[in-house]
Amino acid sequence: MALNAADLQRKHQLEGAPDPFPSLDSAPVNAAPATTSNGRPDTSSVEAFPSLAPSTPTNAPKTTSGWGTAGAPRIKATLSKQTLHSDTFTLSIVDLSTAGKDGKPTSLGEVMKQIVTQYKIKLEASTNQKSRQTTFYLKSESLKELDKAKRALLAALSPVVTLTVYAPASTIPSIIGTKGATLKQIRDQTGVKIDIPRKDTLPVNGQNGFASGTATPVGPDGEEEEEPQVPITIIGPQPSALEAQALINEKVATKRSRSTQHVKDIPAHVLPFILPRRSTFIDAAEGVDVNLALNTAAREITVTGDREGVVRVIESIKSAVAYFTSEVTSFKLTLPKRQHRLLTGKGADDILAKSKCAVVIADIEEPGDEIIVWGKPADLAAGMTAVMEKANSAYIHEFPLPGPISFSRQLLTYMIRVGYDKTLAAAHPGVSVYTPPVSAVEKATVLSVDLVGDKSAVDNAVSQVSQLIGKLMGATKDVPIDWLVHRIISSGKNAKRVKSFHDAHNVLVFFPPESAEQSSVLLVYDPTSPNASPSPVEKASKLEEVEKELLKMAKDAADVKTVTINVEKKWHDAVVGKNGTTLNAIIGEDKALSIKLGAEAGDASSEDVIQIRGASSDVTRATKEIQKIVEDAKNDEIVSSYAVEFEIDREFVGRIVGAQGAGVNRLRDSLGVKIDFQDEVDDKDEKTKKKKGTHQKVKVKVIGRKENVEEAKKRIMAQADRLADETSEILKIPHQYHSSLIGQSGKYVIRLEEKYAVKITFPRESAENGEGKTRESLKADEVLIKGGRKGVASAKSELIDAVEFEKESNNVVKFTVPTRSVARILGKSGATINEIKDNTGAQIDVDKASDDTSKTNIQVRGTKAAIAEAKAAIIAISDQVVEETTVNITIESRFHRTLIGAGGQGLRDLILRCGGPTDSKIQAGLVRFPRQGEPSDDVRLRGEPKLVAKLQAELEKVVATLKDRIVLGVEVPAAQHRSLIGRGGQHLNDLQSKTGAQVQFPGSRSYNSVGEPENTDELGEVEPANLVKVTGTRAACEKAVVELKASIKPPAAESITAKMSVPLKYHHAVAQQGNFFRSLRSYGVQVEQSKQASGPAVPVRPTASSGNAATEARIDDPDDEDSAIVEAQWQVTSNYQETEDGDSEWTFKARDQAGLEKALKLTQEAIAHAEKMSHVGFLTLPDRSLFPRIVGSKGANVARLRAESGADITVSREDSTIVIVGSEEAIHTAKDAILRTTAQRPPRGGNRRG
């Protein structure tokens, strides 16, 4: 619906003013309103004060009284006055910005005088000094002239604006009207300029693009909401432009059959109840096609489709929102912040499905532990239960990163940049890892990583994080480098150099995001590298080397400086430009400048400043440009009309404009310029240019701010130069080589494209539906290379070389072999054929011929030498396979395991006894037993007839022997089974070899399958665990039984016992890693413990920042000027400060009293010795190169040091730390002795001093 003038005035805060724009089809003069718009009656109005005389024709010049005749009136008749029309309006701001230009009046008085003279009206004005509003009173005998005068006055006193209305393409004809009648009427009524793009620039065939490059508004999901939109530009005084905009919108509204409406600002606690009702909303459309889209962040639902359906759906949604807003209530809970993670996403959905309640949680970055549960009053109890269950459904571990805070930030940065949270979660399924939000990192004093999941899995993940942090101690460093040179250091030729730091120094370099403007670079000594050194000295050295190189690169990259210039805040918008376009042009395409305006510049005293940082030359340039822009703005110069024209080749226009104008639109949006391509070439010129072979040119016109225009021209010309260098070439390459040149998944051709910056296209065979066909028309033996001239030449050369190589190495030979030899050629699981491929480098394909089952085709592909070698190897195997025969014999399955033997050794021995081959691959096909689980007694023999006959005879002979075997049982105490079997079964094998019988102990795989012993009655009630079975011939079994009985040891006498309490804190010191118990066993004493200590043997090594005193020891040889200085770190801590309380009861079991007394005495001495071991020292050397000297030959040196100092010395096999345990005096003595040992240099060959 069109807006009238009163609506426009209300919109612009002009309430109380009359309608300045009455409709053009207004009633006749006598239908004028009875009262003026300011509320005062018009005494001259006939409608307000009608005459008492009867009505007369409208054309009568006078009227007569109704109380008398025409001839003798009782009251003298009066002539009706001409109707006087009036109007009034109020303006808050009188805009005289164009005064004095182009002959226009220079003041408000002159404007009013000009209006009065031109339209013959009466005009008055009054200004309220308090509200600074000016009210205008207009009077005229002609309503038309009054309307014209009012419009002219509003136009003269209002700013000229440019508005853009986007109308669907289908509504453009109705806006223009027949022969432009509708558009002309709008223009005449409003007096504005209306520009609609020409028909040939409108969207065609559903495309959403324009030749002018103007972007079409799109929906929130990046797709068009309805149909292609056409931009209509309106230029004129603000009130008139707004009226024209309203009239056009009215035309659009009457023609659109589709609509898009929004339900905005849905309360956060109501939205969860609305989402599950999507199907209900769809049903409300009553079968009409509608689409629903949700913008969660804005809490907005968008409905698009048929107008009537959209209205019904919108009403349904609003009704649901109103219902739940009034029905649901809430209560608040307080839960630790870390548990809030479990109540979002799927957790919130589960709670809603289970309890019909919704959970509203503040953002994780916001402080506070409060959550709100919303639902109907009857459901809130279930909601609270569901929330608590979900909040406690997973274990949450808050892992604080070690300080200081700067180190914590370094750890967190490393974890985020390498994606450690995803790596950790993948390594521990079921564990979710959450790092602090980036916005909270700078303000936080303590940083933590949250791990959520099952407790056991989370504990494992925590352990892995602890290990990582341990490796990162001393492995990080911040390097101060101005952020403006980060882009230069990390791109171009420097990128490879930065990347090489990891290969050369094992150091990773992390540049902060450019948007952060953070002038520091993080170096991390990679803890995951297999070459990583645990030495702190090595880490520090590598980090320092990389730091020096980075600082040198930064110094070479740019001379950065900062300049602050004073610019009043009101001119900042001119520097920024529309949508930041002017600022983008000043900064440039490389974005190597930082420009901050006002408060962003960090000057608390004033916002009238602009700060510029960057390379000196760029800062100087930007300073001059900003000062010029400000000066232009102060002088109110219109510089946005600067235009430049230049030419480019027509063939490049499509590439520069881009698909649907994408390329040129990027330039327009980023620089705020208008770009037109003028391709007006007549037929005559076109023929002339074709004859001469010259390139056809297209004019490009760029209009806008001068700086932006020049930047746009520079970018377009640079792109045209790149395209001018582009060429293409078609190579003739036989189709048979294409697959080899492309490589698996295109890896070879992709490597060439990336290496030379070209596009290589191979032909494809088009399918019936047209898929697979390339854009270029290529023959089967053609390959297209497109790109820069140099790149095309290099790629062509490499492709030709590759083709020559393929011609040499892609020979093919086909031959046949007997089908019976194929199995031997292939080998088990393809082992034989794969071995031939690896040895020769040839490709071999085995394909059974279709017409002759006795022959199999083999194809060999490769170099001629490789083909000859592979063919010879295949023929050699085939020749070995003579005529074969197959025989099936029946052997009871109970004998199969015995015949095969352990690991198949019995079967191999049987084949060798029959004169069979020694090669295990050939042996595999001779004898085949049923697979495990197959209920069959058939054994297949296949091979040379003579060999098969021998195998059959041998198998039948062995089976006959097995059938005659017996089973005898012998009682052997289970405690002695292990000693009779021996280590690795040695004693058992010796017994079986000596007697020729098989001995089965309880628990062996064949124990149950050999059957029951014949002498079961003689054995009586023998415990099953003590029954050993012997199988074989009667003589062999009886001999084995005698041997077993002779090996049984008599039962030992009852042992002597004693008990002693040992403090748990001394357990490790007494046990000596089990050595103490082994020494007691030499006296025939066994020890049982009621409880064992669970803590570590020695305390954890203290960190450097834990407050423990750390002494730095230096190892020098002042007498040797070539001696190296070695630094060792020495840390001391108490031994039993975090040990367990309580005692463990030890039970001693001995064969005799003497051994028991000896064991008790040794234990008491060990406890006394443990009491003295009150301290632990950690001596860390730079590396392990000195350890051999400390340990000595077979540990002689370290044993001597233990004896001299009385301390226990442990030399680590994993790192460069030596652990010393003893009294405080003893560990210092041991430490000094070790340092003296490392300081001594081995004698050198000869005296260098002569």
Side-chain angles (χ1 to χ4, degrees):
M1 181 177 179
L3 298 176
N4 56 30
D7 295 329
L8 294 173
Q9 290 174 359
R10 280 196 295 271
K11 184 173 182 180
H12 294 276
Q13 299 178 354
L14 304 180
E15 293 87 352
D19 181 359
F21 300 116
S23 176
L24 295 179
D25 53 356
S26 304
V29 173
N30 59 359
T35 58
T36 57
S37 57
N38 59 10
R40 296 193 300 268
D42 185 1
T43 56
S44 64
S45 172
V46 176
E47 285 74 18
F49 300 90
S51 172
L52 299 180
S55 61
T56 58
T58 56
N59 58 356
K62 60 182 179 179
T63 61
T64 58
S65 173
W67 286 3
T69 62
R74 294 181 59 186
I75 301 178
K76 185 179 179 181
T78 58
L79 294 175
S80 62
K81 295 182 179 180
Q82 180 69 30
T83 304
L84 189 64
H85 302 280
S86 65
D87 201 350
T88 180
F89 63 91
T90 302
L91 292 180
S92 298
I93 299 176
V94 174
D95 186 352
L96 294 173
S97 58
T98 59
K101 295 183 179 180
D102 300 327
K104 295 182 179 180
T106 58
S107 65
L108 176 59
E110 291 187 7
V111 170
M112 294 174 63
K113 183 177 181 181
Q114 186 182 55
I115 296 295
V116 168
T117 303
Q118 184 175 353
Y119 297 103
K120 309 300 182 183
I121 67 168
K122 294 181 179 180
L123 177 61
E124 296 177 0
S126 64
T127 302
N128 188 325
Q129 296 299 329
K130 290 185 178 180
S131 61
R132 295 189 178 276
Q133 293 181 340
T134 302
T135 303
F136 297 88
Y137 302 91
L138 298 89
K139 292 183 181 181
S140 174
E141 295 179 353
S142 170
L143 182 63
K144 186 176 181 180
E145 292 298 317
L146 179 69
D147 184 60
K148 287 183 179 180
K150 181 175 181 179
R151 293 182 187 279
L153 184 60
L154 282 171
L157 301 181
S158 300
V160 176
V161 297
T162 301
L163 303 179
T164 302
V165 179
Y166 288 94
S170 61
T171 64
I172 295 301
S174 64
I175 295 174
I176 297 175
T178 305
K179 297 183 179 180
T182 306
L183 184 61
K184 182 177 183 301
Q185 180 183 356
I186 297 174
R187 286 173 174 167
D188 293 343
Q189 180 176 335
T190 60
V192 299
K193 179 181 179 182
I194 302 176
D195 181 22
I196 299 178
R198 297 193 309 271
K199 185 177 180 180
D200 56 354
T201 65
L202 296 180
V204 181
N205 297 330
Q207 296 178 356
N208 186 19
F210 302 90
S212 63
T214 304
T216 299
V218 296
D221 298 328
E223 300 180 355
E224 298 174 11
E225 288 190 348
E226 298 181 5
E227 59 179 303
Q229 306 287 302
V230 176
I232 301 176
T233 305
I234 305 172
I235 303 175
Q238 189 177 44
S240 301
L242 291 172
E243 182 183 5
Q245 182 185 40
L247 291 171
I248 292 174
N249 285 334
E250 180 182 11
K251 292 291 182 183
V252 171
T254 59
K255 292 296 181 180
R256 296 180 67 177
S257 62
R258 294 178 62 83
S259 173
T260 297
Q261 295 189 32
H262 309 270
V263 180
K264 300 182 178 180
D265 298 324
I266 301 174
H269 68 278
V270 173
L271 187 60
F273 297 100
I274 299 298
L275 299 183
R277 300 176 60 84
R278 178 185 175 88
S279 58
T280 305
F281 302 145
I282 295 293
D283 294 340
E286 299 179 2
V288 175
D289 180 27
V290 294
N291 292 319
L292 276 70
L294 171 67
N295 185 340
T296 306
R299 305 195 308 279
E300 174 181 304
I301 297 177
T302 302
V303 186
T304 303
D306 182 84
R307 181 179 297 278
E308 295 181 0
V310 167
V311 171
R312 287 193 292 268
V313 172
I314 287 292
E315 289 300 324
S316 177
I317 296 174
K318 289 182 177 179
S319 176
V321 171
Y323 172 78
F324 284 108
T325 301
S326 62
E327 287 294 320
V328 298
T329 183
S330 67
F331 69 88
K332 297 180 180 180
L333 285 176
T334 301
L335 290 174
K337 199 74 171 180
R338 60 178 180 273
Q339 288 183 295
H340 290 193
R341 301 184 188 278
L342 304 176
L343 305 178
T344 59
K346 187 177 182 302
D349 294 341
D350 292 343
I351 293 172
L352 181 63
K354 185 175 181 180
S355 65
K356 300 181 182 179
C357 291
V359 181
V360 177
I361 299 173
D363 191 272
I364 194 69
E365 299 180 15
E366 296 180 7
D369 296 335
E370 189 175 77
I371 66 171
I372 305 175
V373 182
W374 290 87
K376 295 182 178 180
D379 298 329
L380 288 179
M384 182 175 69
T385 303
V387 168
M388 297 307 297
E389 288 178 356
K390 183 59 68 174
N392 296 309
S393 61
Y395 174 71
I396 303 176
H397 182 92
E398 187 176 0
F399 189 98
L401 298 178
I405 189 62
S406 58
F407 179 60
S408 301
R409 292 194 184 106
Q410 292 171 352
L411 293 177
L412 183 61
T413 301
Y414 170 77
M415 291 179 177
I416 293 175
R417 297 295 292 274
V418 303
Y420 185 71
D421 53 344
K422 297 181 178 63
T423 304
L424 188 63
H428 302 277
V431 175
S432 299
V433 183
Y434 301 96
T435 56
V438 177
S439 59
V441 171
E442 291 300 325
K443 299 179 182 178
T445 56
V446 177
L447 297 176
S448 300
V449 177
D450 291 343
L451 296 93
V452 181
D454 185 67
K455 187 175 188 304
S456 58
V458 169
D459 289 342
N460 293 334
V462 168
S463 176
Q464 184 172 335
V465 175
S466 300
Q467 293 177 8
L468 174 70
I469 292 176
K471 295 178 180 179
L472 288 173
M473 290 291 185
T476 61
K477 189 169 189 178
D478 280 327
V479 180
I481 297 177
D482 197 293
W483 69 271
L484 287 171
V485 301
H486 289 184
R487 176 190 289 265
I488 303 173
I489 297 176
S490 60
S491 61
K493 62 181 181 180
N494 289 329
K496 293 183 178 179
R497 186 176 174 189
V498 172
K499 189 176 180 181
S500 68
F501 290 155
H502 186 269
D503 299 331
H505 305 287
N506 194 47
V507 173
L508 298 171
V509 182
F510 297 108
F511 291 91
E514 187 172 334
S515 59
E517 299 185 2
Q518 183 179 343
S519 297
S520 66
V521 178
L522 176 62
L523 306 183
V524 179
Y525 188 81
D526 188 0
T528 62
S529 172
N531 301 324
S533 171
S535 170
V537 176
E538 176 73 11
K539 295 176 184 177
S541 174
K542 296 297 184 182
L543 292 173
E544 186 176 352
E545 292 176 12
V546 174
E547 179 187 17
K548 290 180 180 178
E549 294 195 38
L550 275 178
L551 291 175
K552 185 178 183 301
M553 292 168 63
K555 183 178 179 181
D556 297 340
D559 178 18
V560 177
K561 72 174 183 179
T562 302
V563 171
T564 301
I565 58 178
N566 293 321
V567 176
E568 291 184 57
K569 185 179 179 180
K570 62 182 180 180
W571 304 119
H572 289 184
D573 289 341
V575 176
V576 175
K578 184 178 181 181
N579 298 325
T581 52
T582 306
L583 194 61
N584 286 339
I586 296 173
I587 293 175
E589 196 168 10
D590 293 335
K591 297 183 179 179
L593 271 178
S594 168
I595 300 179
K596 296 182 178 180
L597 299 89
E600 294 182 357
D603 188 350
S605 60
S606 173
E607 293 187 3
D608 298 335
V609 294
I610 297 179
Q611 184 187 79
I612 310 169
R613 294 190 68 239
S616 298
S617 58
D618 289 339
V619 170
T620 303
R621 172 188 61 80
T623 302
K624 292 179 180 178
E625 291 181 7
I626 290 174
Q627 289 172 342
K628 185 178 184 304
I629 291 170
V630 173
E631 186 65 26
D632 291 341
K634 288 180 179 179
N635 296 330
D636 195 25
E637 294 182 1
I638 304 175
V639 295
S640 59
S641 60
Y642 179 81
V644 65
E645 290 188 4
F646 55 95
E647 292 183 341
I648 60 173
D649 289 342
R650 179 190 289 180
E651 60 183 308
F652 304 145
V653 172
R655 300 282 293 278
I656 293 174
V657 172
Q660 300 184 359
V664 76
N665 282 344
R666 277 196 299 271
L667 282 176
R668 290 183 173 123
D669 295 340
S670 63
L671 298 176
V673 295
K674 181 179 179 182
I675 304 174
D676 289 326
F677 295 88
Q678 302 172 359
D679 187 10
E680 299 177 357
V681 181
D682 57 25
D683 296 338
K684 183 178 179 180
D685 292 341
E686 192 170 349
K687 292 178 181 178
T688 304
K689 290 182 179 180
K690 286 184 178 178
K691 286 181 181 180
K692 294 181 180 180
T694 58
H695 293 287
Q696 298 181 28
K697 299 289 185 178
V698 171
K699 286 186 178 180
V700 183
K701 186 175 183 179
V702 186
I703 303 174
R705 186 175 288 274
K706 182 177 180 180
E707 296 82 359
N708 304 23
V709 168
E710 295 295 343
E711 179 68 19
K713 177 183 176 182
K714 184 178 73 172
R715 295 186 189 182
I716 293 173
M717 294 298 294
Q719 187 174 358
D721 291 342
R722 289 195 296 269
L723 294 173
D725 184 57
E726 188 175 87
T727 186
S728 62
E729 191 162 346
I730 295 178
L731 304 182
K732 291 286 186 178
I733 298 176
H735 189 270
Q736 67 191 75
Y737 302 123
H738 288 189
S739 60
S740 300
L741 296 176
I742 294 172
Q744 185 178 6
S745 301
K747 64 179 182 180
Y748 297 138
V749 72
I750 290 174
R751 181 184 62 81
L752 282 178
E753 289 179 336
E754 293 177 349
K755 182 177 180 181
Y756 298 115
V758 296
K759 174 67 176 176
I760 303 175
T761 306
F762 286 82
R764 300 186 208 166
E765 295 182 1
S766 177
E768 293 182 0
N769 59 0
E771 293 183 1
K773 187 175 181 180
T774 57
R775 182 181 298 177
E776 295 81 5
S777 178
L778 297 175
K779 296 180 180 179
D781 62 344
E782 292 181 340
V783 178
L784 173 66
I785 310 175
K786 186 184 291 185
R789 300 181 186 279
K790 186 175 179 181
V792 168
S794 301
K796 173 185 175 182
S797 175
E798 191 161 336
L799 270 178
I800 292 175
D801 292 343
V803 171
E804 294 300 323
F805 174 79
E806 288 296 326
K807 287 181 179 179
E808 174 63 26
S809 61
N810 207 11
N811 298 285
V812 178
V813 171
K814 298 180 180 179
F815 58 94
T816 60
V817 296
T819 300
R820 65 174 180 269
S821 65
V822 170
R824 184 80 60 82
I825 293 171
L826 295 177
K828 187 176 182 180
S829 302
T832 304
I833 196 72
N834 288 335
E835 184 179 354
I836 296 174
K837 290 179 181 179
D838 294 339
N839 292 338
T840 63
Q843 296 294 321
I844 305 172
D845 296 322
V846 179
D847 182 22
K848 193 171 185 179
S850 58
D851 53 349
D852 186 0
T853 57
S854 63
K855 296 290 185 181
T856 297
N857 291 330
I858 295 181
Q859 177 177 288
V860 185
R861 185 171 62 253
T863 63
K864 294 179 179 179
I867 290 174
E869 185 179 354
K871 181 178 179 181
I874 294 172
I875 296 298
I877 296 174
S878 177
D879 292 342
Q880 295 175 4
V881 181
V882 295
E883 193 65 33
E884 293 182 342
T885 185
T886 302
V887 174
N888 290 328
I889 60 175
T890 301
I891 300 175
E892 295 179 44
S893 58
R894 62 192 177 101
F895 301 132
H896 290 182
R897 186 181 294 276
T898 304
L899 291 172
I900 296 173
Q905 187 60 42
L907 185 58
R908 287 194 290 270
D909 293 343
L910 184 143
I911 294 173
L912 293 176
R913 289 200 303 271
C914 297
T918 58
D919 189 350
S920 59
K921 297 178 182 178
I922 302 176
Q923 288 179 352
L926 291 175
V927 183
R928 183 186 182 280
F929 286 88
R931 297 184 181 275
Q932 187 174 2
E934 292 182 7
S936 174
D937 294 337
D938 292 338
V939 178
R940 188 195 69 189
L941 308 179
R942 185 176 69 182
E944 186 182 354
K946 292 182 180 179
L947 178 59
V948 168
K950 290 182 180 179
L951 290 171
Q952 181 179 0
E954 184 66 21
L955 281 171
E956 291 173 347
K957 177 183 176 183
V958 174
V959 169
T961 303
L962 292 175
K963 288 181 178 179
D964 293 337
R965 72 176 185 172
I966 65 171
V967 180
L968 295 180
V970 59
E971 182 179 4
V972 178
Q976 299 187 31
H977 289 183
R978 184 183 296 274
S979 61
L980 292 177
I981 295 172
R983 189 169 186 177
Q986 181 178 358
H987 296 165
L988 178 59
N989 291 336
D990 293 343
L991 176 62
Q992 291 179 152
S993 300
K994 181 178 179 181
T995 61
Q998 295 292 320
V999 181
Q1000 303 291 341
F1001 285 88
S1004 65
R1005 288 185 298 175
S1006 303
Y1007 182 81
N1008 294 325
S1009 63
V1010 298
E1012 294 298 323
E1014 291 183 357
N1015 58 341
T1016 302
D1017 297 337
E1018 299 176 7
L1019 295 173
E1021 297 183 359
V1022 179
E1023 291 289 336
N1026 297 334
L1027 180 59
V1028 178
K1029 297 178 183 180
V1030 183
T1031 61
T1033 62
R1034 184 170 296 279
C1037 289
E1038 292 175 349
K1039 184 178 180 182
V1041 169
V1042 173
E1043 290 286 341
L1044 283 171
K1045 290 182 176 179
S1047 301
I1048 297 174
K1049 298 178 181 179
E1054 190 173 345
S1055 60
I1056 304 172
T1057 62
K1059 295 183 179 181
M1060 179 182 294
S1061 292
V1062 179
L1064 285 173
K1065 65 180 181 179
Y1066 298 145
H1067 172 82
H1068 293 296
V1070 174
Q1072 299 175 11
Q1073 298 180 346
N1075 291 330
F1076 181 72
F1077 300 118
R1078 285 190 286 272
S1079 65
L1080 293 184
R1081 283 199 288 272
S1082 64
Y1083 300 109
V1085 179
Q1086 301 286 337
V1087 180
E1088 295 179 357
Q1089 305 171 57
S1090 64
K1091 185 178 180 181
Q1092 293 186 352
S1094 59
V1098 294
V1100 178
R1101 177 183 175 184
T1103 59
S1105 61
S1106 62
N1108 292 280
T1111 305
E1112 298 294 335
R1114 295 179 59 86
I1115 307 172
D1116 320 64
D1117 185 1
D1119 297 333
D1120 187 355
E1121 62 187 23
D1122 293 336
S1123 64
I1125 297 176
V1126 181
E1127 293 188 355
Q1129 189 179 32
W1130 172 244
Q1131 294 172 289
V1132 179
T1133 186
S1134 299
N1135 190 5
Y1136 303 122
Q1137 58 183 356
E1138 295 181 358
T1139 54
E1140 297 180 64
D1141 296 330
D1143 296 337
S1144 173
E1145 189 176 75
W1146 288 16
T1147 303
F1148 299 84
K1149 295 182 180 180
R1151 292 194 296 264
D1152 51 44
Q1153 186 65 32
L1156 179 63
E1157 293 177 356
K1158 183 66 174 176
L1160 293 174
K1161 181 180 179 182
L1162 290 175
T1163 303
Q1164 292 173 348
E1165 293 175 354
I1167 294 173
H1169 178 68
E1171 292 177 351
K1172 298 177 181 179
M1173 302 176 72
S1174 58
H1175 289 75
V1176 180
F1178 298 90
L1179 181 62
T1180 302
L1181 300 180
D1183 51 54
R1184 298 174 55 85
S1185 61
L1186 299 174
F1187 278 21
R1189 194 185 310 170
I1190 297 170
V1191 176
S1193 178
K1194 297 181 180 181
N1197 287 353
V1198 77
R1200 176 178 57 79
L1201 292 174
R1202 289 188 184 117
E1204 292 177 355
S1205 63
D1208 184 15
I1209 303 173
T1210 302
V1211 180
S1212 175
R1213 296 183 179 181
E1214 299 177 354
D1215 51 31
S1216 57
T1217 299
I1218 301 173
V1219 181
I1220 307 172
V1221 184
S1223 64
E1224 187 172 7
E1225 180 181 357
I1227 64 174
H1228 282 88
T1229 301
K1231 182 260 295 183
D1232 295 339
I1234 291 172
L1235 293 179
R1236 285 196 298 273
T1237 302
T1238 56
Q1240 297 173 359
R1241 295 295 185 195
R1244 300 182 180 180
N1247 190 340
R1248 65 176 180 172
R1249 297 184 180 181

